[in-house]
Amino acid sequence: MTLHLEYMYQDPLCRPGEIPPALEGLSILSGGGDAHIYGTVMTPGRPPGERRPCAILLHGYPGYTSLFDIGQGLRRMGAVAVNISYRGCWGSEGQYTLSGIIEDAVAAAEWARTTETASTYGIDTGKMFFIGHSMGGFAAVNAMRRLPWICGAAVMAPYDFPSLFERGDEESLKELLIQGADVLRLSSMKDLYEDAQYCLHAEFGLRHAAEDLKDRNLYFIGAAKDDVAPAADMIGPLWRQLQLHETSAVQQFDMVEADHAFDETRLTVGAMIGQWMQAVLDAATP
């Protein structure tokens, strides 16, 4: 399966007889079936019956920096792009929690993998990826730990908030949570903070993921001007552990000159993710 990397920067042509590109809304049950989470599915143009790789995009906290543009780029390259809003976030039902965003990522992947969904949207269920930014990177890593069939995860400036507890810097986490709370549906700030502590004790921190992910395809992208989630603190501990293990998985760590939101390098980062996905697909081809 080949992604068309040249279409990161230009629109592909839809050939006669092909199914044209499309965008549809989605509604997925999460939280044990108690709440609907909403989002979009963007499908590329394709011949009837053809299956394409799928990227599930996970935004950060509280979601001001969406990954919709990255998804559009991946769709142009030939991947199905699934965007979701977590429970309690941007119109989705339920209460927002930090442990819940992992569950919502898992629910989205399992929904995309069903026979009905894969057939409807032309998804190759053996070629599914998570793409996460910031807190969405935290969700992507932990969701992949639970789903051995996910092909890989590309993680942009992950926000590894359990590591803040370990470094005694809880105040930075509290400040971040307060800043985003106005646009979320929360039971209380106290409950949100206690859920963050639960994530620590449940070993959801990135440095605890090495054993689960040592032979999984992973791509970390750090931002050199990031003062929210510095790569040395957030990516470094896990990456150093992974480097001690010899693997045939496609594992990569790159830095770009950008801030936490990658405001200056969105096209660049989208192309980097597409290139890494293609490397994973090539490695899986006999």
Side-chain angles (χ1 to χ4, degrees):
M1 175 63 66
T2 300
L3 293 176
H4 300 282
L5 303 180
E6 68 273 17
Y7 291 133
M8 182 64 197
Y9 306 107
Q10 59 180 313
D11 294 321
L13 295 175
C14 188
R15 297 173 179 83
E18 286 190 343
I19 300 170
L23 182 150
E24 293 186 15
L26 64 81
S27 174
I28 303 168
L29 281 172
S30 188
D34 293 333
H36 288 89
I37 58 174
Y38 303 121
T40 58
V41 184
M42 298 187 292
T43 53
R46 66 194 189 281
E50 184 176 80
R51 300 294 181 100
R52 307 295 299 173
C54 177
I56 297 169
L57 297 121
L58 306 171
H59 65 72
Y61 180 90
Y64 293 129
T65 303
S66 77
L67 295 183
F68 202 78
D69 60 329
I70 302 295
Q72 287 280 18
L74 294 175
R75 189 257 293 267
R76 288 195 301 275
M77 293 182 206
V80 179
V82 176
N83 294 274
I84 64 165
S85 294
Y86 316 113
R87 275 172 286 166
C89 184
W90 304 108
S92 290
E93 296 176 348
Q95 301 289 326
Y96 182 92
T97 64
L98 297 169
S99 60
I101 69 175
I102 302 171
E103 297 170 1
D104 295 344
V106 169
E110 290 178 336
W111 169 83
R113 192 173 182 242
T114 64
T115 300
E116 181 180 359
T117 302
S119 176
T120 300
Y121 298 110
I123 294 171
D124 185 334
T125 57
K127 295 170 179 149
M128 295 177 61
F129 296 83
F130 285 123
I131 313 295
H133 171 246
S134 193
M135 201 76 82
F138 161 83
V141 166
N142 280 288
M144 193 164 78
R145 294 171 74 180
R146 302 184 187 185
L147 302 175
W149 42 265
I150 286 289
C151 196
V155 181
M156 306 159 55
Y159 190 75
D160 183 24
F161 66 86
S163 70
L164 298 179
F165 288 106
E166 294 166 343
R167 296 200 304 271
D169 189 18
E170 299 98 321
E171 289 305 314
S172 293
L173 176 60
K174 288 180 180 179
E175 290 175 9
L176 177 81
L177 296 180
I178 291 170
Q179 288 172 9
D182 288 347
V183 297
L184 302 174
R185 187 183 300 110
L186 304 170
S187 55
S188 70
M189 283 301 302
K190 178 177 179 292
D191 287 347
L192 183 61
Y193 185 71
E194 288 180 353
D195 182 66
Q197 292 175 311
Y198 161 75
C199 291
L200 167 69
H201 298 307
E203 297 189 340
F204 293 162
L206 266 59
R207 74 175 182 85
H208 295 288
E211 184 62 26
D212 295 332
L213 302 183
K214 63 184 181 183
D215 291 308
R216 306 289 299 277
N217 299 311
L218 279 167
Y219 187 21
F220 292 109
I221 305 177
K225 294 184 281 188
D226 190 348
D227 59 1
V228 176
D233 297 332
M234 304 289 179
I235 301 173
L238 172 56
W239 182 249
R240 287 190 292 271
Q241 292 180 73
L242 293 174
Q243 291 298 100
L244 296 175
H245 174 71
E246 190 171 329
T247 183
S248 60
V250 182
Q251 297 181 351
Q252 189 173 333
F253 177 15
D254 288 326
M255 294 289 296
V256 298
E257 285 294 323
D259 60 7
H260 181 64
F262 296 88
D263 287 310
E264 303 162 79
T265 56
R266 302 293 292 189
L267 287 176
T268 298
V269 170
M272 291 165 65
I273 292 171
Q275 290 163 0
W276 172 80
M277 288 174 60
Q278 185 60 60
V280 172
L281 298 173
D282 288 343
T285 303

